[in-house]
Amino acid sequence: FWPEVGEAANVKLNLNYSLEKRGKTISFQIDPEEVAKTVEASDGALTEEAVISEAGVLENTFDYNLSNGKLTLSEREYGEQMVFVKK
């Protein structure tokens, strides 16, 4: 993620989302204004295209499971998973 920036960078991008608790799904959408803020904060290290390309992996609808401080997102069509652990 973010290979243009390198190891020392701390890149943040706020995404819009909608959460459906009953069906346990979450959908993420990229906000162009947030992309612009991220690019500006990178001091030229990132381009808009790079941010959209990297964040595009999250622009989707996922089944989710939250358990013991761990969030698991499962891609609905192919079943690929991403796991996030709360620090």
Side-chain angles (χ1 to χ4, degrees):
F1 220 69
W2 315 113
E4 299 86 354
V5 180
E7 296 286 327
N10 185 12
V11 177
K12 294 182 181 180
L13 175 65
N14 292 320
L15 298 173
N16 295 326
Y17 70 93
S18 58
L19 179 69
E20 206 277 280
K21 289 182 181 181
R22 180 170 283 161
K24 295 192 85 170
T25 62
I26 187 167
S27 298
F28 295 101
Q29 302 86 32
I30 296 172
D31 182 341
E33 290 180 20
E34 292 296 328
V35 171
K37 288 179 189 177
T38 298
V39 170
E40 186 176 321
S42 78
D43 292 327
L46 291 172
T47 65
E48 182 177 317
E49 294 79 19
V51 172
I52 290 171
S53 174
E54 294 295 328
V57 68
L58 289 173
E59 193 170 41
N60 205 338
T61 298
F62 301 90
D63 293 323
Y64 74 88
N65 183 42
L66 185 58
S67 177
N68 299 324
K70 183 170 64 171
L71 171 65
T72 303
L73 300 179
S74 300
E75 202 275 333
R76 299 188 84 196
E77 188 172 343
Y78 300 106
E80 295 177 16
Q81 293 186 329
M82 291 181 270
V83 177
F84 301 88
V85 179
K86 184 176 181 180
K87 288 186 177 184

